[in-house]
Amino acid sequence: MKFIDCNHQANIIHQYIEKQLHHSYLKEYIDQPYIDRDRIYFLLLPFVSEGRAISKEVVQWISTAMLLQIALDTHEKVTISERDPLKERQLTVLAGVYFSSLYYKILAETDDVELISNLAKAIKEVNESKISIYKDGHKNLDELMKRVKMRESAIVSNFFRFFEDNQWIGIVEEALLYKKLVQEKISLGHSQNTSFIKALSILSGSTDQEERSLHLTKDETGHLLSQIDGLIERTKKRVQAQLETIEPVTPYFKKLIVELLPYVQPEPMTKLYAEEG
């Protein structure tokens, strides 16, 4: 399948997800959920690589995985700051639950009990990783990065395993980690401190583990930015190395990754969010 064909399929899935997410009341109070196009492309891989037709059922499978990711991401946006309206915080929690219910509704319509089981495992892995990052439950930088990678890629990885297409797991995990690190760098550059930045600052000795919020100096911020740059570069090299093993039968995927690596402009984080357990 050509890249342009995959782009067309991604558009169909994107529009389907937008339709599912639409809720006029929620839209008045919370930001429209961000739909990550790269994740849609990644989730298309098991079908594109085998030359399978993108049926209505495939659209539903991919959309459920995306809705689940959006639900988990929405729960991360529950601010702990009392400066934000209580109603907005409550609706953000309810929105996450609502998006989760859409995931179950669509899967129930396709009667995919095994896929539900695989994605339930992914939910467990994501939440365990969130707790570990938020509570500084790691001993070193490698362990922190492992947790971040799992948080970002568990849904896609378990989706691949369900369709018995494991060849993409490694490179997609690294690509999603790369995207997240770039996002974290942007957040730190705008003084938006996330659970990852706090965990990294604790490992670097810039922040005490008991502190609820970060108060970084200019030098400390510069040091953390330098660390994240190093992590981005190492992750990029791992992705580039794995690209060499990809067969030319999937040129669209190579194109996607090559375009992703030089620069990624993800959706900015606008608040300090509390991680959901």
Side-chain angles (χ1 to χ4, degrees):
M1 183 178 290
K2 296 180 181 179
F3 185 78
I4 190 171
D5 295 328
C6 290
N7 195 45
H8 174 67
Q9 297 300 332
N11 286 337
I12 292 173
I13 295 167
H14 193 126
Q15 290 169 9
Y16 179 82
I17 295 169
E18 281 187 330
K19 183 178 179 181
Q20 299 301 315
L21 290 174
H22 179 73
H23 194 293
S24 57
Y25 183 71
L26 287 175
K27 193 175 180 180
E28 289 184 29
Y29 293 94
I30 65 173
D31 295 335
Q32 182 71 11
Y34 173 59
I35 302 173
D36 190 339
R37 292 279 295 201
D38 291 329
R39 286 182 184 272
I40 295 177
Y41 285 123
F42 291 154
L43 290 166
L44 278 165
L45 277 172
F47 312 100
V48 174
S49 61
E50 295 180 9
R52 296 169 62 176
I54 309 300
S55 63
K56 179 182 177 181
E57 192 173 41
V58 171
V59 172
Q60 290 178 316
W61 285 333
I62 294 175
S63 297
T64 55
M66 288 296 298
L67 285 168
L68 179 54
Q69 185 70 54
I70 290 168
L72 292 169
D73 290 345
T74 299
H75 276 155
E76 288 189 48
K77 295 182 179 181
V78 182
T79 177
I80 61 176
S81 174
E82 294 184 359
R83 291 176 296 180
D84 295 304
L86 176 61
K87 186 171 186 177
E88 180 181 322
R89 286 183 279 157
Q90 290 172 331
L91 283 173
T92 302
V93 174
L94 291 175
V97 175
Y98 172 65
F99 300 150
S100 294
S101 70
L102 292 175
Y103 143 75
Y104 286 110
K105 175 179 177 292
I106 297 171
L107 274 187
E109 290 173 354
T110 59
D111 196 27
D112 288 303
V113 177
E114 289 186 30
L115 182 55
I116 292 175
S117 177
N118 274 53
L119 293 180
K121 180 183 177 183
I123 295 171
K124 179 174 179 290
E125 291 174 351
V126 169
N127 284 333
E128 287 177 348
S129 298
K130 286 182 180 181
I131 292 170
S132 176
I133 296 167
Y134 186 66
K135 294 188 174 181
D136 189 35
H138 37 267
K139 300 176 182 178
N140 52 51
L141 183 58
D142 287 342
E143 190 171 327
L144 172 60
M145 298 309 298
K146 180 180 178 181
R147 293 294 185 182
V148 175
K149 184 191 293 185
M150 180 172 289
R151 183 182 69 180
E152 294 304 305
S153 61
I155 292 172
V156 177
S157 297
N158 281 282
F159 187 88
F160 287 167
R161 292 188 183 101
F162 172 75
F163 289 102
E164 299 181 348
D165 199 337
N166 298 342
Q167 63 176 318
W168 309 108
I169 292 177
I171 191 168
V172 169
E173 286 180 345
E174 295 292 346
L176 288 172
L177 175 61
Y178 175 89
K179 285 191 64 175
K180 184 62 175 177
L181 288 171
V182 174
Q183 184 181 51
E184 293 291 350
K185 179 182 176 180
I186 293 171
S187 295
L188 180 58
H190 289 85
S191 301
Q192 298 161 355
N193 298 319
T194 66
S195 59
F196 168 76
I197 293 171
K198 181 178 179 181
L200 185 61
S201 68
I202 291 172
L203 285 175
S204 303
S206 302
T207 304
D208 185 88
Q209 187 169 346
E210 300 302 320
E211 289 186 41
R212 289 292 301 272
S213 59
L214 291 180
H215 303 282
L216 299 172
T217 66
K218 184 177 180 179
D219 287 344
E220 288 169 341
T221 298
H223 176 65
L224 290 178
L225 284 171
S226 178
Q227 274 194 294
I228 295 175
D229 276 337
L231 293 169
I232 289 172
E233 189 59 30
R234 288 196 289 274
T235 306
K236 180 177 180 177
K237 287 180 179 178
R238 289 196 296 270
V239 174
Q240 289 172 327
Q242 291 189 52
L243 271 179
E244 300 302 318
T245 68
I246 301 295
E247 295 296 326
V249 71
T250 53
Y252 107 90
F253 180 63
K254 282 195 173 184
K255 179 177 174 63
L256 171 65
I257 295 294
V258 168
E259 291 181 347
L260 169 69
L261 287 178
Y263 181 71
V264 179
Q265 179 63 63
E267 196 73 1
M269 293 183 178
T270 55
K271 299 175 183 176
L272 173 61
Y273 299 125
E275 298 289 341
E276 287 290 305

